[in-house]
Structure formats: C-alpha cells, structure tokens
Amino acid sequence: MPTAIAVTSADLVLPAPDRHTPPAVVLHPPGQLDLAGALAETSALLERHGHLVAVVPPWLPTATVQRLHTVRSILETDRIALLDIDLPPLATALLVRQLRQLSVCDFSPGVIASAARLLSHYIYAGALLGSVAKLDRVAVGLKAHARSWSPTAQFAVLAHPTPHLAKLGGSGGGAHGGRGGGGRGGGAALPPGPEFATHLTFARGQLASDWVAAELAPAWRVQGVMENPLPADSPAWWATAKLVEFAAAIPDLSVLYQLVASVRREQCHWCGLELIGDRCGFCAAPLAAPPPAEDGGGRTASPFAGSASAGSPGPRH
C-alpha cells in the first residue's frame, strides 16, 4: 500500500485528478474521537500503509495539534510525519493532492514527506478580497485600509510565494497583464504569476466576481481552471468572508515526479530515512548534524531530546 497522506479536515481533500491517485485520510479531531479511538485509528493506518504523512497547517486549533503529537508520542513511532506547511487553505489542499499523486510512485516515505517543502515553493496562492481591513497575512498600506471601507472595493492579493496586493478598478475587473503580471489597467497590477505550466483552482466565498476565471486565469496562461467549494478555514485565514480564493499548481504527475527525482537524496542522520532538501520530513532533523551539546553534568545530550513542536524532531524509537 502507498504511504498514507492525511489531513484533519475533509474540505482539504480535493477530487483526484485521475483514477490512480488515492484518497487522503481524514483524521478525526478531538471533539469527534477520544484519545483511545485516535490511537486505534492511527495504529490501523500504520498497519495498513507502513507510514503516515499528515499535513498540519498552522491555523489548526491547538487541541488538534496537541492530539497529533500525543498520538505519535504514545505510539513511540518514527513512522508518522507531521508537516507544518504554512500555506492558505486552498493551496494546502492542492499540496495534499500533489502528495497523494506522488504516494503511488517509487519514492520512499521519507522522500515523499520532505518533498512537501519543495512542492510548496511552486504553488501560487492568493485571493480576491472585498476587504483587507483585517488582513495580517500580507502587508497592507494605509490607503488600502482606507479603501476597504468602500462597499465596491476589491483587492487582488497574492500571499505565496511573493506577497502582492493591488486594488482592482471597477467591480473587480480592469487589471490586465501577461503571465508575469506586469501589465496594468484600471490602476492595478495583476499578481505575478508562475513561469511554468499550472492549473488554477478557485473557490468562492461571499463575493460575486468572475475576475479569477475571466481575467487572472488567461493572464497567467494556466492550462485549466477548476472550481471547488471554499475550505471552512479560508474566511478566517483571509480575515474576510467576502473573497474568492485561488491557487495555481503543477497538475502533471510526470512533472512532479521529475521535480522530486531531480533533487539529491540523503539519509537522515537521526531516523535513517531518505530525505531531499535540508530537513527530514519525519523527525525534522536538519541534514547536517548539529554539534553535540553538554548538559549540566558535563554529559553529551541529544540535541532532539524533549522536542514536542512540529518544527523539531521527535524521539526516535
């Protein structure tokens, strides 16, 4: 069985692009399943799939994140990867789908887990917003704050990979440009787009606008456009329900495979799994081993002892 790819919410599971892509596993939050049930659920997944890669967005409730770490600690296993990838909700769902696509390839679980950081750099994520008054994900100037009070105001915002914010003219149209977003119209510049082939996925909130599909998609020269339901956490992430969220990502499995396969593979010095990049996806140990540290008694202590955060290695067993 392929490595299991897990999320904590069903709305982060996008439709499979083909019949070979497996579904994602939806882990039940603490309010739906007690600790004993969560342990049984995770044990069954490990028994069936061998390894579990769970995407843990930073906007998750603290109780949910603590539950994931508690389960991993109690099971005393190094076969669970908790990936703290910081992307907007719709972009997170796209990344999860890419990991699902890669899970059926001949990559080891360690390579699949560490590939998440690599793939995230190739996702362009943003939103069309009716207000940026409370937005704290992207720098917002005083003029943009003031213009947010207008009931017809609309802003094109790119949060990843490079923050960009521009007020659109009229009712969401009037901004035109090439793939790189350099053109101007209506006094606004399009967000800079990807220089490689992508598909664009968008999801509507409480904002009536066709700008994403009608203007942004042609300007970015995407190969396809698909609409999906808005993730439940998107209004909170973008600080407004008046939005149309969008994300462009590489859809082709062969391209994703070549991208990951082209990176040199290393062996994690801590848990022994394969990795690409500079950090293990399972134990979060850096590629280069840090110098040993001495504790108060002059003994050499493990640099990973007592770690409990998603960005730090857990215990090796």
Side-chain angles (χ1 to χ4, degrees):
M1 294 295 293
T3 298
I5 308 300
V7 293
T8 56
S9 175
D11 58 11
L12 295 180
V13 184
L14 298 178
D18 53 60
R19 61 186 180 88
H20 302 292
T21 301
V25 175
V26 180
L27 301 175
H28 295 86
Q32 297 180 12
L33 195 64
D34 61 14
L35 179 58
L39 290 170
E41 175 184 57
T42 306
S43 296
L45 288 171
L46 293 176
E47 181 69 23
R48 183 179 182 185
H49 295 273
H51 291 79
L52 174 66
V53 175
V55 177
V56 186
W59 70 77
L60 288 181
T62 302
T64 301
V65 178
Q66 290 177 340
R67 167 63 64 82
L68 293 171
H69 285 278
T70 298
V71 167
R72 185 173 66 173
S73 297
I74 293 178
L75 292 179
E76 296 185 333
T77 179
D78 58 3
R79 294 185 292 149
I80 299 176
L82 302 179
L83 307 180
D84 56 344
I85 303 297
D86 190 3
L87 290 171
L90 187 60
T92 299
L94 282 176
L95 176 63
V96 169
R97 186 167 66 183
Q98 290 178 331
L99 294 177
R100 290 159 53 197
Q101 291 176 270
L102 289 173
S103 69
V104 298
C105 298
D106 56 354
F107 293 127
S108 67
V111 170
I112 293 174
S114 53
R117 295 181 66 200
L118 170 67
L119 297 179
S120 68
H121 293 296
Y122 294 89
I123 295 179
Y124 281 65
L128 177 68
L129 304 179
S131 172
V132 293
K134 298 181 180 179
L135 181 66
D136 60 1
R137 304 287 184 172
V138 176
V140 180
L142 292 177
K143 287 186 178 180
H145 270 292
R147 290 170 178 169
S148 289
W149 293 104
S150 170
T152 61
Q154 292 187 6
F155 300 86
V157 181
L158 190 69
H160 185 86
T162 304
H164 174 96
L165 185 151
K167 183 181 183 299
L168 299 184
S171 58
H176 303 274
R179 173 176 293 198
R184 290 185 179 272
L190 279 170
E195 297 292 339
F196 46 88
T198 62
H199 277 198
L200 184 70
T201 301
F202 71 97
R204 301 177 191 269
Q206 299 175 13
L207 187 62
S209 175
D210 295 323
W211 177 82
V212 172
E215 297 200 38
L216 183 66
W220 279 7
R221 301 177 188 173
V222 299
Q223 296 181 334
V225 179
M226 177 177 292
E227 182 174 2
N228 280 277
L230 186 72
D233 292 299
S234 293
W237 202 97
W238 294 102
T240 180
K242 296 175 60 179
L243 82 158
V244 180
E245 188 172 13
F246 58 84
I250 299 171
D252 194 333
L253 175 57
S254 63
V255 177
L256 295 173
Y257 183 92
Q258 292 174 8
L259 184 62
V260 174
S262 66
V263 182
R264 178 179 175 178
R265 304 183 196 183
E266 306 282 355
Q267 185 176 36
C268 178
H269 68 88
W270 184 250
C271 69
L273 291 175
E274 275 190 316
L275 63 90
I276 61 174
D278 59 359
R279 186 172 296 275
C280 178
F282 275 84
C283 71
L287 177 59
E294 291 187 354
D295 60 18
R299 297 166 296 183
T300 300
S302 166
F304 310 121
S307 172
S309 68
S312 302
R316 179 188 178 191
H317 297 279

